[in-house]
Amino acid sequence: MVSVINTVDTAHEDMIHDAQMDYYGTKLATCSSDRSVKIFDVKNGQQTMIAELRDHEGPVWCLGWSHPMFGSLLASCGYDRKVIIWKETNGVWGKLHEYNNHDSSVNSVCWAPHEFGLMLVCGSSDGAISVLSTTGDGNWEDKKITNAHTIGCNSVSWAPAVQPNSLLESPGGQRPPLVKRFVSGGCDDLVKIWKEEDGNWVEEQKLEGHSDWVRDVAWAPSIGLSKHIIASCSQDCRVIIWTSDGTCNTWSSKILHKFNDVVWHVSWSVTGNILAVSGGDNKVSLWKETLEGQWVCISDVNKGQGQVVDGSQPIEQAA
């Protein structure tokens, strides 16, 4: 059973596009078409706004918190073509870095696993993807993948640093070298996997299965999993689950479900075994894979009311 346990009055003056909790779940960041980013302390069922950030010049689409080992860092991106990285110092939030090397709206930002260092990937409507990184000396380096997606990139998500079964399969329990990968979804109906090779980002896989714009992609955490899992959702009203072994050489696909409206977002639980799906039908549903490999709906939340439903609908093979 899933139910609403708390609501936050953000006092935004327009539509809210993203809301993200920090690593410890004690801070909430929200962004809106009113051009602002707001940060709240959320503790003991109470919320207090601690910062209102207004350096964007258009709607703000997406937010991302970094790992706390780098301090309190928040990335935001928006219609104004900007990516802004904000930092809290002694309780005061300010702009740490601004990246404005895209030619159109920046739609998605995602921080890399902390094992890779401080890295941020950004997807834009100009079709390009940028990877920003810093060694902590105040200077930021950017590497740009031009023409990553025809028409535009809508979403990006990093692969976990720990490969599935890496400790079980490695001699002496030593982990193999870290491989940097991320997944992207775009207006070309494609899901693409990118891999860093010799300091450059190359397209490793192109996954075809959707018949309309891919709105969101999410790479599942690998804690306890024996395989790589990616979820993607689309304007074709479908969510597809993509799976691969640790090599990422081949991927198989299954349709999680065909919904009645556009599916906007997919998000994994921390352990990677529960998927949250939200869409134009104003519902959030939770899905879990059974021991038999079938994905079932374990909860369907409609306008704040949680209800456990029978998730016995079989999954079809993706076309």
Side-chain angles (χ1 to χ4, degrees), residues 25-99:
T26 59
K27 288 187 176 66
L28 171 70
T30 61
C31 62
S32 166
S33 282
D34 66 9
R35 307 184 177 189
S36 74
V37 174
K38 296 187 179 185
I39 302 174
F40 301 84
D41 267 333
V42 183
K43 298 175 183 176
N44 303 319
Q46 303 294 320
Q47 64 276 342
T48 304
M49 189 175 76
I50 57 176
E52 182 174 5
L53 311 174
R54 285 193 170 271
D55 278 28
H56 279 286
E57 300 170 13
V60 189
W61 304 130
C62 184
L63 300 168
W65 290 94
S66 73
H67 191 277
M69 70 176 292
F70 302 110
S72 292
L73 296 181
L74 178 71
S76 61
C77 64
Y79 183 76
D80 58 2
R81 303 176 291 181
K82 292 181 182 179
V83 176
I84 299 179
I85 298 172
W86 313 87
K87 182 177 182 178
E88 180 188 27
T89 304
N90 297 324
V92 179
W93 283 88
K95 184 164 59 175
L96 176 67
H97 180 68
E98 180 178 310
Y99 178 73

Side-chain angles (χ1 to χ4, degrees), residues 165-202:
N165 291 332
S166 59
L167 292 180
L168 297 177
E169 298 172 356
S170 302
Q174 297 298 315
R175 293 181 179 178
L178 295 178
V179 178
K180 297 175 184 176
R181 287 187 176 94
F182 64 85
V183 61
S184 62
C187 302
D188 50 10
D189 310 346
L190 296 175
V191 173
K192 292 187 177 184
I193 296 172
W194 305 88
K195 178 182 179 182
E196 187 184 47
E197 292 184 356
D198 300 323
N200 297 311
W201 290 96
V202 298

Side-chain angles (χ1 to χ4, degrees), residues 245-261:
D245 60 13
T247 65
C248 292
N249 289 332
T250 58
W251 290 81
S252 60
S253 59
K254 290 182 178 179
I255 298 176
L256 177 81
H257 187 64
K258 178 69 180 294
F259 293 83
N260 295 323
D261 208 329

Side-chain angles (χ1 to χ4, degrees), residues 6-280:
N6 193 18
T7 60
V8 176
D9 181 6
T10 65
H12 276 296
E13 299 169 0
D14 207 332
M15 183 181 298
I16 296 172
H17 297 292
D18 199 9
Q20 296 288 338
M21 302 293 294
D22 72 348
Y23 183 86
Y24 296 112
T26 59
K27 288 187 176 66
L28 171 70
T30 61
C31 62
S32 166
S33 282
D34 66 9
R35 307 184 177 189
S36 74
V37 174
K38 296 187 179 185
I39 302 174
F40 301 84
D41 267 333
V42 183
K43 298 175 183 176
N44 303 319
Q46 303 294 320
Q47 64 276 342
T48 304
M49 189 175 76
I50 57 176
E52 182 174 5
L53 311 174
R54 285 193 170 271
D55 278 28
H56 279 286
E57 300 170 13
V60 189
W61 304 130
C62 184
L63 300 168
W65 290 94
S66 73
H67 191 277
M69 70 176 292
F70 302 110
S72 292
L73 296 181
L74 178 71
S76 61
C77 64
Y79 183 76
D80 58 2
R81 303 176 291 181
K82 292 181 182 179
V83 176
I84 299 179
I85 298 172
W86 313 87
K87 182 177 182 178
E88 180 188 27
T89 304
N90 297 324
V92 179
W93 283 88
K95 184 164 59 175
L96 176 67
H97 180 68
E98 180 178 310
Y99 178 73
N100 52 14
N101 196 25
H102 280 287
D103 298 324
S104 191
S105 170
V106 183
N107 303 316
S108 180
V109 289
C110 184
W111 290 102
H114 66 86
E115 293 90 341
F116 297 158
L118 197 55
M119 301 180 69
L120 183 73
V121 63
C122 320
S124 170
S125 290
D126 64 9
I129 296 173
S130 295
V131 181
L132 313 182
S133 61
T134 181
T135 58
D137 58 0
N139 296 315
W140 289 79
E141 177 185 355
D142 66 280
K143 293 184 178 178
K144 200 169 185 181
I145 308 170
T146 58
N147 300 318
H149 285 277
T150 306
I151 309 176
C153 177
N154 294 320
S155 181
V156 287
S157 176
W158 284 91
V162 179
Q163 303 297 307
N165 291 332
S166 59
L167 292 180
L168 297 177
E169 298 172 356
S170 302
Q174 297 298 315
R175 293 181 179 178
L178 295 178
V179 178
K180 297 175 184 176
R181 287 187 176 94
F182 64 85
V183 61
S184 62
C187 302
D188 50 10
D189 310 346
L190 296 175
V191 173
K192 292 187 177 184
I193 296 172
W194 305 88
K195 178 182 179 182
E196 187 184 47
E197 292 184 356
D198 300 323
N200 297 311
W201 290 96
V202 298
E203 181 184 311
E204 185 180 35
Q205 295 285 341
K206 181 167 61 178
L207 307 180
E208 302 180 57
H210 287 291
S211 58
D212 207 334
W213 289 13
V214 179
R215 279 297 177 182
D216 199 13
V217 289
W219 203 311
S222 61
I223 301 174
L225 299 181
S226 60
K227 56 192 175 184
H228 283 292
I229 304 178
I230 293 173
S232 62
C233 64
S234 168
Q235 289 183 192
D236 64 10
C237 307
R238 294 184 298 172
V239 172
I240 295 180
I241 303 294
W242 310 86
T243 58
S244 176
D245 60 13
T247 65
C248 292
N249 289 332
T250 58
W251 290 81
S252 60
S253 59
K254 290 182 178 179
I255 298 176
L256 177 81
H257 187 64
K258 178 69 180 294
F259 293 83
N260 295 323
D261 208 329
V262 174
V263 187
W264 294 108
H265 291 294
V266 284
S267 178
W268 292 100
S269 64
V270 173
T271 53
N273 63 337
I274 296 178
L275 179 70
V277 179
S278 62

Side-chain angles (χ1 to χ4, degrees), residues 241 255-257 259 273-277 285-300 308-315:
I241 303 294
I255 298 176
L256 177 81
H257 187 64
F259 293 83
N273 63 337
I274 296 178
L275 179 70
V277 179
S285 55
L286 303 182
W287 300 77
K288 187 174 183 179
E289 187 179 19
T290 68
L291 295 176
E292 294 75 27
Q294 297 293 312
W295 287 85
V296 297
C297 182
I298 59 173
S299 181
D300 192 352
V308 176
V309 299
D310 177 19
S312 59
Q313 180 169 351
I315 296 177

